[in-house]
Amino acid sequence: MTDLKPDALISDKIIEDFESQFSSKETKDYMSAVSEILNLNSSEVFNNSGNVHAAIIFNNIFSRSKSIVRILAGNMYNVVTLSKMYQDALLAFLGRKDTRLCILLNSDKLEDLKKLAIQNSIFKKLQPYASKIAIRKTKKELKRDGEMIHLCIGDQSMYRLETDPEHRHAEVCLNDADYINKYLIPEYDQLFSLDNGAIECQCETIYN
């Protein structure tokens, strides 16, 4: 997931401008197309790029997940994670019974943010659900074709694999339990393991 440069705070105005794009016809058409894919239980792999389309996919993954969401990201400080479309769906997921959230962040990306006085952190919103959340950081990366990737996995069926975090280009599939269970979950869980060097973090101190 693309994060802003470490010297850039994200204002409410920036978030409002971003969220205004969700009312466009093109965006509504994209939402409808994604809903159709989900309703058909399609295993089609399709491309996903740009902040708006990324937020729509995250919203659907969070909304449809019933047990666990796994996230691998940089520092989760960007217009997508600060948007209502992202946050409302993630908080609703955590509000459901027997749900869990795993977040794995990049240690160096977190270090970049320490000099900022960040007030509008998604992690403040997550604090009431701290007992259902495991947050860790690592210097290690998952890679495809030698390039770092970011990842979001919903339950054992849906994923968004960001092959180019800088430009937010991703591959998405909303129904592929075989690939997720054989490859993505084992890779993620290994990187998430404390035995593999991951370090525990707390919501309230994530950017300190």
Side-chain angles (χ1 to χ4, degrees), residues 65-68 92-100 132:
S65 294
K66 297 179 179 179
S67 59
I68 181 170
F93 164 76
L94 288 167
R96 296 196 283 273
K97 186 179 179 181
D98 298 328
T99 53
R100 292 185 297 128
K132 305 177 79 172

Side-chain angles (χ1 to χ4, degrees), residues 48-204:
N48 176 251
S49 62
N51 288 327
V52 172
H53 287 187
I56 292 168
I57 294 300
F58 286 124
N59 178 280
N60 278 277
I61 289 176
F62 301 154
S63 297
R64 301 277 181 145
S65 294
K66 297 179 179 179
S67 59
I68 181 170
V69 168
R70 295 170 170 89
I71 295 173
L72 170 65
N75 54 39
M76 288 184 71
Y77 184 66
N78 54 70
V79 292
V80 173
T81 60
L82 293 175
S83 69
K84 284 181 62 62
M85 176 164 286
Y86 187 101
Q87 292 190 1
D88 288 356
L90 185 55
L91 294 175
F93 164 76
L94 288 167
R96 296 196 283 273
K97 186 179 179 181
D98 298 328
T99 53
R100 292 185 297 128
L101 173 63
C102 296
I103 298 175
L104 185 59
L105 303 174
N106 181 279
S107 299
D108 293 332
K109 292 288 187 181
L110 287 176
E111 192 69 26
D112 289 342
L113 295 180
K114 284 190 175 181
K115 59 186 176 183
L116 299 180
I118 294 174
Q119 299 298 320
N120 53 350
S121 162
I122 185 175
F123 293 101
K124 290 187 176 182
K125 301 284 185 69
L126 295 178
Q127 285 182 30
Y129 302 98
S131 63
K132 305 177 79 172
I133 304 171
I135 306 172
R136 296 175 184 174
K137 62 182 180 180
T138 182
K139 289 185 176 292
K140 298 179 181 180
E141 301 172 342
L142 286 187
K143 293 187 176 184
R144 287 291 185 278
D145 299 323
E147 299 295 330
M148 177 189 67
I149 64 168
H150 289 169
L151 183 63
C152 178
I153 307 170
D155 290 339
Q156 297 177 330
S157 57
M158 300 169 286
Y159 71 85
R160 182 181 184 277
L161 192 158
E162 201 162 72
T163 53
D164 183 354
E166 182 178 356
H167 299 99
R168 207 182 284 284
H169 295 160
E171 299 171 358
V172 176
C173 184
L174 302 174
N175 183 27
D176 193 346
D178 289 342
Y179 180 68
I180 288 173
N181 284 304
K182 186 174 182 179
Y183 297 105
L184 297 186
I185 289 178
E187 287 181 295
Y188 182 96
D189 288 353
Q190 181 179 13
L191 202 64
F192 194 75
S193 171
L194 296 174
D195 293 336
N196 198 28
I199 299 172
E200 295 275 12
C201 300
Q202 303 300 321
C203 284
E204 60 270 22

